[in-house]
Amino acid sequence: MSHEPPGDDALLRAIARGDTQALADLYDRHSGWLHARLMRRCPDPETVREVLQDTFMAAWRSAGTHRGGTAGGWLWVIAARRLADTRRAAARAGTRELLAAEEPGTAPSAEEHVLAGLEYGDVGAALNRISPELRAVLRATVIDGLTTREAAHQLGIPEGTVKTRASRARRELRAALATLDPAGGTAC
């Protein structure tokens, strides 16, 4: 008799009931790819380790609120937000280690600049001018890097709605950015 390992949904239900073994199983199943993906965004292994730990602690605390989308997409949203929070905190504290690459003299990537400046720059101001529904789709698909399917599951809306909102959000974001840059520069 073969014993199938429990699926992610079953693990999340068990975690919501306080099952620490289920959390360990979820960690074993997802921590490797989450670590690799976080390392592509942040060159500091210690920060990635802390973000990964925070991600699974958040999963422990909020497993009961998971809405049934893919657990991987849900975990990635948590991890990406934790990393962005860590970077914002570092930027506010004036530390640039998390924003710069490890090798001396290497400039941060374009992605790192965007993530670091989202909340306080022109893009952040423009994002705050569009509706929360459109902003959520952009965050899921652009910032968090989810596919249309993952974003649909995460947001609890149909895939077609994700596509429609993403298109509308880009148009509204362009318009909002244009009002911030009256010279008419094209940011998107």
Side-chain angles (χ1 to χ4, degrees):
M1 180 169 121
S2 70
H3 178 65
E4 283 287 318
D8 288 345
D9 288 338
L11 289 175
L12 287 169
R13 285 190 301 274
I15 292 167
R17 293 188 307 270
D19 185 339
T20 57
Q21 182 58 50
L23 179 64
D25 292 345
L26 189 73
Y27 180 88
D28 289 345
R29 188 174 292 170
H30 292 282
S31 64
W33 71 264
L34 276 170
H35 184 271
R37 198 162 179 187
L38 286 166
M39 284 300 293
R40 281 185 263 158
R41 289 192 172 193
C42 178
D44 180 27
E46 182 63 23
T47 298
V48 168
R49 186 190 65 73
E50 288 176 16
V51 166
L52 195 60
Q53 180 179 351
D54 288 349
T55 298
F56 282 94
M57 289 306 298
W60 172 258
R61 288 188 301 271
S62 60
T65 65
H66 181 257
R67 292 183 292 195
T70 63
W74 182 67
L75 289 168
W76 175 244
V77 167
I78 295 170
R81 288 183 180 156
R82 297 284 181 203
L83 182 58
D85 290 345
T86 300
R87 288 180 167 188
R88 280 192 293 270
R92 281 193 296 267
T95 58
R96 296 289 175 209
E97 303 89 39
L98 297 178
L99 304 177
E102 284 186 295
E103 297 175 25
T106 304
S109 70
E111 180 179 299
E112 290 166 337
H113 278 295
V114 169
L115 287 173
L118 266 181
E119 187 171 359
Y120 303 107
D122 286 347
V123 174
L127 275 171
N128 286 331
R129 292 181 178 193
I130 66 175
S131 73
E133 295 83 16
L134 300 180
R135 189 170 46 244
V137 168
L138 278 183
R139 284 191 184 280
T141 58
V142 177
I143 298 168
D144 297 336
L146 299 178
T147 65
T148 300
R149 176 172 286 162
E150 291 169 334
H153 286 296
Q154 184 64 33
L155 298 170
I157 58 177
E159 288 181 45
T161 303
V162 170
K163 292 175 184 178
T164 302
R165 287 183 184 175
S167 177
R168 191 168 140 216
R170 286 184 182 96
R171 279 193 310 273
E172 289 189 21
L173 186 60
R174 277 188 207 101
L177 284 168
T179 64
L180 294 173
D181 180 15
T186 57
C188 292

